[in-house]
mmCIF file of all heavy atoms in Angstrom:
data_model
loop_
_atom_site.group_PDB
_atom_site.id
_atom_site.type_symbol
_atom_site.label_atom_id
_atom_site.label_comp_id
_atom_site.label_asym_id
_atom_site.label_seq_id
_atom_site.Cartn_x
_atom_site.Cartn_y
_atom_site.Cartn_z
ATOM 1 N N ALA A 43 -21.462 9.840 -20.964
ATOM 2 C CA ALA A 43 -21.740 11.232 -20.589
ATOM 3 C C ALA A 43 -21.328 11.457 -19.134
ATOM 4 O O ALA A 43 -20.736 12.493 -18.811
ATOM 5 C CB ALA A 43 -23.200 11.563 -20.788
ATOM 6 N N VAL A 54 -28.936 16.670 -14.542
ATOM 7 C CA VAL A 54 -30.084 15.934 -15.099
ATOM 8 C C VAL A 54 -30.987 15.296 -13.994
ATOM 9 O O VAL A 54 -32.189 15.306 -14.130
ATOM 10 C CB VAL A 54 -29.617 14.827 -16.078
ATOM 11 C CG1 VAL A 54 -30.771 13.971 -16.566
ATOM 12 C CG2 VAL A 54 -28.907 15.500 -17.252
ATOM 13 N N ALA A 78 -34.467 8.682 -20.297
ATOM 14 C CA ALA A 78 -35.469 8.436 -21.356
ATOM 15 C C ALA A 78 -36.856 8.864 -20.892
ATOM 16 O O ALA A 78 -37.632 9.423 -21.693
ATOM 17 C CB ALA A 78 -35.463 6.945 -21.735
ATOM 18 N N ALA A 79 -37.181 8.638 -19.628
ATOM 19 C CA ALA A 79 -38.471 9.046 -19.100
ATOM 20 C C ALA A 79 -38.662 10.552 -19.143
ATOM 21 O O ALA A 79 -39.730 11.064 -19.514
ATOM 22 C CB ALA A 79 -38.637 8.526 -17.659
ATOM 23 N N LYS A 80 -37.621 11.283 -18.787
ATOM 24 C CA LYS A 80 -37.689 12.742 -18.819
ATOM 25 C C LYS A 80 -37.891 13.244 -20.241
ATOM 26 O O LYS A 80 -38.671 14.176 -20.489
ATOM 27 C CB LYS A 80 -36.453 13.352 -18.171
ATOM 28 C CG LYS A 80 -36.420 13.126 -16.662
ATOM 29 C CD LYS A 80 -35.142 13.609 -16.028
ATOM 30 C CE LYS A 80 -35.048 13.202 -14.591
ATOM 31 N NZ LYS A 80 -34.888 14.313 -13.653
ATOM 32 N N LEU A 86 -44.575 14.664 -24.483
ATOM 33 C CA LEU A 86 -46.027 14.576 -24.285
ATOM 34 C C LEU A 86 -46.765 15.731 -24.940
ATOM 35 O O LEU A 86 -47.846 15.567 -25.498
ATOM 36 C CB LEU A 86 -46.373 14.584 -22.787
ATOM 37 C CG LEU A 86 -46.423 13.276 -22.053
ATOM 38 C CD1 LEU A 86 -46.705 13.541 -20.579
ATOM 39 C CD2 LEU A 86 -47.456 12.322 -22.614
ATOM 40 N N THR A 92 -39.667 23.367 -24.200
ATOM 41 C CA THR A 92 -38.699 24.413 -23.836
ATOM 42 C C THR A 92 -39.082 25.024 -22.485
ATOM 43 O O THR A 92 -40.233 25.116 -22.135
ATOM 44 C CB THR A 92 -38.671 25.537 -24.911
ATOM 45 O OG1 THR A 92 -39.961 26.075 -25.031
ATOM 46 C CG2 THR A 92 -38.198 24.991 -26.235
ATOM 47 N N PHE A 96 -34.659 19.655 -16.350
ATOM 48 C CA PHE A 96 -34.657 18.241 -16.024
ATOM 49 C C PHE A 96 -35.119 18.018 -14.578
ATOM 50 O O PHE A 96 -35.805 17.051 -14.245
ATOM 51 C CB PHE A 96 -33.287 17.613 -16.200
ATOM 52 C CG PHE A 96 -32.926 17.326 -17.646
ATOM 53 C CD1 PHE A 96 -31.912 18.040 -18.265
ATOM 54 C CD2 PHE A 96 -33.588 16.372 -18.343
ATOM 55 C CE1 PHE A 96 -31.597 17.751 -19.566
ATOM 56 C CE2 PHE A 96 -33.276 16.072 -19.660
ATOM 57 C CZ PHE A 96 -32.271 16.783 -20.273
ATOM 58 N N ASP A 98 -37.302 19.629 -13.028
ATOM 59 C CA ASP A 98 -38.749 19.818 -12.912
ATOM 60 C C ASP A 98 -39.493 18.511 -13.115
ATOM 61 O O ASP A 98 -40.716 18.454 -12.879
ATOM 62 C CB ASP A 98 -39.239 20.818 -13.938
ATOM 63 C CG ASP A 98 -38.761 22.265 -13.657
ATOM 64 O OD1 ASP A 98 -38.335 22.521 -12.524
ATOM 65 O OD2 ASP A 98 -38.838 23.085 -14.574
ATOM 66 N N GLY A 104 -42.592 4.140 -6.855
ATOM 67 C CA GLY A 104 -43.694 4.341 -5.939
ATOM 68 C C GLY A 104 -43.767 3.242 -4.894
ATOM 69 O O GLY A 104 -43.054 2.228 -4.988
ATOM 70 N N ASP A 106 -45.951 1.099 -4.535
ATOM 71 C CA ASP A 106 -46.416 -0.133 -5.129
ATOM 72 C C ASP A 106 -45.355 -0.757 -6.071
ATOM 73 O O ASP A 106 -45.626 -1.762 -6.711
ATOM 74 C CB ASP A 106 -47.735 0.059 -5.861
ATOM 75 C CG ASP A 106 -47.616 1.095 -7.008
ATOM 76 O OD1 ASP A 106 -46.497 1.611 -7.255
ATOM 77 O OD2 ASP A 106 -48.638 1.366 -7.646
ATOM 78 N N GLN A 110 -43.253 6.379 -10.613
ATOM 79 C CA GLN A 110 -44.172 7.512 -10.423
ATOM 80 C C GLN A 110 -43.503 8.766 -10.942
ATOM 81 O O GLN A 110 -42.287 8.964 -10.814
ATOM 82 C CB GLN A 110 -44.480 7.697 -8.934
ATOM 83 C CG GLN A 110 -45.168 6.506 -8.291
ATOM 84 C CD GLN A 110 -46.576 6.333 -8.801
ATOM 85 O OE1 GLN A 110 -47.356 7.303 -8.812
ATOM 86 N NE2 GLN A 110 -46.894 5.142 -9.183
ATOM 87 N N ARG A 122 -50.743 22.096 -15.615
ATOM 88 C CA ARG A 122 -51.992 22.676 -15.114
ATOM 89 C C ARG A 122 -52.635 23.582 -16.176
ATOM 90 O O ARG A 122 -53.830 23.520 -16.439
ATOM 91 C CB ARG A 122 -51.779 23.439 -13.813
ATOM 92 C CG ARG A 122 -51.600 22.560 -12.627
ATOM 93 C CD ARG A 122 -51.508 23.386 -11.357
ATOM 94 N NE ARG A 122 -51.202 22.521 -10.234
ATOM 95 C CZ ARG A 122 -50.469 22.867 -9.203
ATOM 96 N NH1 ARG A 122 -49.944 24.061 -9.129
ATOM 97 N NH2 ARG A 122 -50.246 21.995 -8.221
#
Side-chain angles (χ1 to χ4, degrees):
V54 174
K80 291 174 187 238
L86 271 177
T92 58
F96 283 114
D98 291 344
D106 61 1
Q110 299 291 310
R122 283 186 185 145

